[in-house]
Amino acid sequence: MKRIVCVAFALWTNFIHAEIQFTRVTDETGIQFRHFSGATGAKYLPETMGGGAAFFDYDNDNAPDLYFVNGAPLTENTKDVQPTNRLYRNSGKGTFVDVTEEAGVGNTDYGIGCCVADYNNDGNRDLFITNFGHNVLYRNNGDGSFTNVTHATGTIDEPCFSTGCAFADYNNDGWLDLVVVNYVLTDLETTPDCTQNGIPAYCRPEDFAPAPDVFYENNGDGTFTDVTQKAGITALGRGLGAIWTDVDNDGWVDLYIANDREANFLYHNNGDGTFTEVGELHGIARNEHGDTESSMGIDTADYDNDGDFDVILTHYQAETNTLYQNDGNGIFWDVTAQSRLSEPTLLPLAWGTGFVDLDNDGWLDLFFANGHLHDNIEALEEVGTYKQRNQLFHNQRNGAYTDISDISGEGMLIEKSSRGAVFGDYDNDGDLDILVMNIDDTPDLLRNDTPSVHHWLRINLIGSFNTKFTVGKFHRKGSNRDGLGARVILQLGDTRLLREIKSGASYLSQNSNQLLIGLGAADKVDRLVIHWQNGVQDEIENVQCNQWLTIQEGKGIISRKR
């Protein structure tokens, strides 16, 4: 009888569109953070750029916690209380508790962004912070506290204007490596005067020389080595976003870097410890008109369910956000116009973004966090506002998107100058929520209140780092503990969904690495396949819907919860 009811429900929901709704719940959940840009009217460029955040489970209780990256005074400290980054522990009861002091992660440098991963394979996720100045690496001690190991690990370098960062196992040795994207060469003493017609204004990116990016290889002993030159990560651009994904399905993760007013980079992984920059060759460096754009945020996912990873990039005012479709061989085509994203994304200035299934129908929607760079844009130009609404586009399942921002609840009607955006199921109710960071303002935690008419599956992956595997004729080491680089394929009748575990994404931020996958009307997954980065494959059949699974490399499902 239960099976009959599930099938009937599945058939019925084929005709239902769940109206996506978001409600702002920042205050009632106990979050009291407020971003501080340090702006004094001197128009220093870093004041406009920060606002990264992370959803990550630092204490392994299966409830995503929140980390906020804050700014700092750029000149004299005129505040009674020093602004700091803040860590909020998820109580598991719909609220958060500030645990910054006991965790020891209250960095007071000028923060820009962050990324998260278990770099030492000890089962606890660590935290890297990019700063205008020296960057910081916090090792998770596994007892609720962190230790600053920046100098000890070798990830310290000269002060720089660092922005995006992302972890990945680029050489398939089971240890997570780290790319740090740098923006421009600037300091407060030599900032030019960029006044426009007597009106104070921030300088353009072109007014500064681009800064070189840095790539660190994990030595497997708790330290990193700078292998930027050796690996060939040497192209110069004003970088902001960074993300790893395997664009051509060859088993080696490739690197995207989103550049501001420069051609974007696609570093193809050659599989021998080196990369080749192929952005222009693969159609991802410029838009369809051959123009470079002001790329801010980035995400990769299979939005059209055709079995390969596509790319979304956010851009400046008067530049559309750009959707690149993968042809299956790692060649990309600008399909922004065909997807109906051109006109509605032309006027907003967008930063954070994400391919995310917000109604669990099995098709990835798009979110954009918007807000202008100039706080006095109304005086500088005839078009543009500083505080803007964010945007939500629903996937129409035919390659096109529809703007549903105005009908998706009061949470989508907020007007602020937004930057980072991250996605995770903070209340563990089976749908994805959104956290938006705002410059010089409070963040917006948007609870997903969409009616539950579709099914879902939540998956947590654990790599078996200390295990040896035989793949064909080869002996392979187990994957990194976080499972970064793993691909998850779900077969639902004739429908095939592809998802991946990755670090970075959005704008200067980190999403929860627990996959929450919408199944639409399907009440079960006929076949679930995990393709671990080292070539190991786990297959599970007839997986029921609406449950949490923990899957370990080589062992399959080791725990489940309904």
Side-chain angles (χ1 to χ4, degrees), residues 297-301 310-314 321-324 341 353-355 366 368:
I298 187 170
D299 198 14
T300 60
D310 313 290
V311 177
I312 186 70
L313 289 169
T314 57
N321 297 336
T322 306
L323 178 61
Y324 294 96
L341 290 172
T353 187
F355 286 112
L366 272 172
F368 299 119

Side-chain angles (χ1 to χ4, degrees), residues 332-480:
F332 293 87
W333 299 90
D334 180 347
V335 295
T336 310
Q338 298 93 310
S339 64
R340 299 209 296 260
L341 290 172
S342 296
E343 183 178 349
T345 66
L346 182 61
L347 290 183
L349 198 169
W351 305 82
T353 187
F355 286 112
V356 56
D357 185 359
L358 296 172
D359 56 357
N360 287 336
D361 67 350
W363 294 82
L364 296 171
D365 310 302
L366 272 172
F367 178 87
F368 299 119
N370 300 326
H372 214 285
L373 182 148
H374 294 285
D375 54 1
N376 58 346
I377 185 60
E378 293 88 347
L380 293 169
E381 298 182 18
E382 294 182 0
V383 177
T385 58
Y386 181 58
K387 296 183 178 182
Q388 303 177 7
R389 287 186 185 179
N390 301 321
Q391 291 176 294
L392 176 57
F393 291 82
H394 189 253
N395 192 325
Q396 298 302 296
R397 311 182 187 188
N398 60 2
Y401 281 91
T402 298
D403 188 347
I404 59 170
S405 311
D406 291 342
I407 60 172
S408 295
E410 55 90 5
M412 290 301 302
L413 303 179
I414 299 167
E415 294 186 1
K416 295 181 181 180
S417 188
S418 302
R419 295 296 186 267
V422 289
F423 310 92
D425 183 12
Y426 88 91
D427 50 2
N428 289 334
D429 65 348
D431 53 36
L432 288 169
D433 311 294
I434 306 174
L435 187 283
V436 182
M437 285 285 283
N438 304 296
I439 288 285
D440 279 324
D441 212 327
T442 55
D444 295 314
L445 179 59
L446 305 179
R447 185 183 65 211
N448 192 336
D449 289 331
T450 304
S452 301
V453 299
H454 293 138
H455 300 304
W456 52 270
L457 191 66
R458 181 164 158 177
I459 300 174
N460 182 42
L461 296 185
I462 300 176
S464 296
F465 171 72
N466 291 317
T467 303
K468 301 293 184 181
F469 294 94
T470 300
V471 181
K473 297 179 180 179
F474 302 98
H475 298 290
R476 300 285 176 83
K477 191 175 186 178
S479 300
N480 64 86

Side-chain angles (χ1 to χ4, degrees), residues 242 296 305 488 508 534 547:
M296 314 287 192
N305 286 346
V488 179
L508 312 178
N534 61 2
Q547 62 175 325

Side-chain angles (χ1 to χ4, degrees), residues 235 237-241 255-267 277-280 283-287 291-298 311 313-315 322 324:
R238 300 173 181 90
L240 289 173
L255 172 64
Y256 285 112
I257 295 180
N259 291 318
D260 192 1
R261 304 299 299 167
E262 302 271 357
N264 301 310
F265 300 149
L266 170 57
Y267 285 102
E277 203 288 299
V278 295
E280 300 276 10
I284 196 74
R286 305 168 185 268
N287 66 14
D291 300 326
T292 59
E293 299 178 288
S294 304
S295 298
M296 314 287 192
I298 187 170
V311 177
L313 289 169
T314 57
H315 293 119
T322 306
Y324 294 96

